[in-house]
Amino acid sequence: MGNLGLKPRCGLVLADFEGARQLQLAGHARAHFGVDADIDQTGGTGRWIEFQVHSWRSTPLNLTQRCRLLEASPYNPLVRGVASAAFDGPPRSLVPR
């Protein structure tokens, strides 16, 4: 997160392993430390990462193996208030088929 203070330009890739697609996001991010928020909102870290999307594209995911969902990871909190069809929940634990 310290790198975001020096160079805020960054990207995210959200992979849909079952659908063999990926959503690529490019933009700028800013780290907020010492956030006074409910533990459910920051996972107890007191930190936020604000990400401003400047461009996006959806492309096929180049995989040599197909994967299937085993179960949702118990270490990722549920995401609430996300209004996007491109994201349908927290990251998932996947294994090759």
Side-chain angles (χ1 to χ4, degrees):
M1 287 199 295
N3 290 342
L4 294 176
L6 297 174
K7 294 188 178 190
R9 184 175 167 197
C10 62
L12 296 171
V13 175
L14 305 173
D16 173 8
F17 293 102
E18 290 181 356
R21 306 235 2 115
Q22 64 185 354
L23 178 62
Q24 300 171 357
L25 305 172
H28 287 80
R30 183 174 155 203
H32 300 272
F33 298 97
V35 174
D36 184 27
D38 188 344
I39 192 168
D40 289 339
Q41 294 176 317
T42 67
T45 65
R47 297 183 297 238
W48 290 101
I49 301 295
E50 179 183 345
F51 182 72
Q52 182 179 15
V53 177
H54 295 287
S55 64
W56 65 272
R57 67 179 173 172
S58 178
T59 59
L61 187 60
N62 188 12
L63 290 176
T64 57
Q65 296 182 1
R66 299 298 271 166
C67 300
R68 64 181 170 86
L69 174 65
L70 281 182
E71 63 184 319
S73 172
Y75 301 103
N76 291 315
L78 293 177
V79 177
R80 295 182 188 98
V82 175
S84 172
F87 183 79
D88 64 351
R92 299 174 179 173
S93 300
L94 297 167
V95 297
R97 287 185 181 188

